[in-house]
Amino acid sequence: MAYIPLVLLAIIIAWFVAAYNKLVRFRNQIKNAWHQIDVQLKRRYDLIPNLVEVVKDYMAYEQETLTKVIEARGAALSAKGPAAQAKAEGILTETLKSLFAVVENYPELKANKNVASLQEELTGTENKISFARRFYNDSVMTYNNAIQSIPTNFIASMFNFAQEAYFETEPESRTVPKANLR
């Protein structure tokens, strides 16, 4: 009978360690999901200068549009954190939409294989970014649920596990840019 308090103490310690490790695992999953978004965004940022370079010879009178795309890319590259990143990405998406709309006015450009290839890569990258954002937000939801639920909220408050922000897009940027250049 004297060992019952020791068994109860061992069960409480095991539960405490398991709950703490679960919170750490969820927090690390969010970091991983954020890095996946970063990888896809970098790919997108790398494609944009190539697209601008290909189209600028054709679009001699549309320099303002190209300048806006490059500026939006620069702003997106320097944005930090989910909220700032989401806002900058929304602006970049809108400028890309305007670029693709202008490209529609240039039949030779629409027929260019390099432009078609870049368009396909951008569309594929947009899909990957969308998937990565969804995974990130799912990870944030799981983590935030864990740190707000009883009894893990006690452990979360003891070790300063703070809520994470969702990656929310601007309302006007919720549509994927239409990049039909064929």
Side-chain angles (χ1 to χ4, degrees), residues 1-169:
M1 288 295 196
Y3 61 87
I4 291 178
L6 291 176
V7 170
L8 288 176
L9 182 64
I11 290 172
I12 291 172
I13 290 172
W15 171 82
F16 185 86
V17 169
Y20 178 83
N21 287 342
K22 182 173 84 174
L23 292 175
V24 169
R25 189 175 57 249
F26 288 159
R27 185 173 58 194
N28 288 338
Q29 185 176 355
I30 291 171
K31 289 178 184 175
N32 178 45
W34 183 253
H35 290 297
Q36 295 303 317
I37 291 173
D38 258 358
V39 167
Q40 296 306 323
L41 291 178
K42 180 171 181 344
R43 177 173 166 71
R44 181 186 195 198
Y45 301 149
D46 291 346
L47 288 172
I48 290 172
N50 294 336
L51 179 64
V52 167
E53 193 64 34
V54 170
V55 301
K56 78 178 183 184
D57 290 338
Y58 292 92
M59 300 171 57
Y61 301 106
E62 307 287 351
Q63 290 300 314
E64 182 181 349
T65 302
L66 296 176
T67 302
K68 286 181 181 177
V69 169
I70 294 299
E71 288 174 355
R73 177 187 174 267
L77 273 170
S78 62
K80 302 289 181 215
Q85 190 89 41
K87 184 175 183 175
E89 288 300 315
I91 293 170
L92 179 59
T93 299
E94 290 301 314
T95 58
L96 281 174
K97 285 180 187 176
S98 65
L99 174 64
F100 291 135
V102 170
V103 167
E104 291 290 324
N105 297 329
Y106 295 87
E108 293 175 11
L109 186 56
K110 286 172 46 177
N112 185 303
K113 288 184 179 183
N114 289 335
V115 173
S117 173
L118 287 168
Q119 176 266 326
E120 286 179 19
E121 286 191 45
L122 273 172
T123 301
T125 301
E126 291 292 335
N127 292 335
K128 290 175 185 174
I129 290 170
S130 176
F131 178 78
R133 287 176 181 160
R134 205 171 341 157
F135 179 68
Y136 173 80
N137 283 339
D138 288 346
S139 299
V140 168
M141 182 187 69
T142 302
Y143 171 77
N144 285 344
N145 284 341
I147 67 170
Q148 294 172 358
S149 300
I150 295 175
T152 51
N153 65 338
F154 299 118
I155 296 171
S157 65
M158 286 172 53
F159 293 99
N160 296 323
F161 284 88
Q163 286 193 36
E164 294 288 337
Y166 287 98
F167 193 104
E168 297 180 39
T169 58

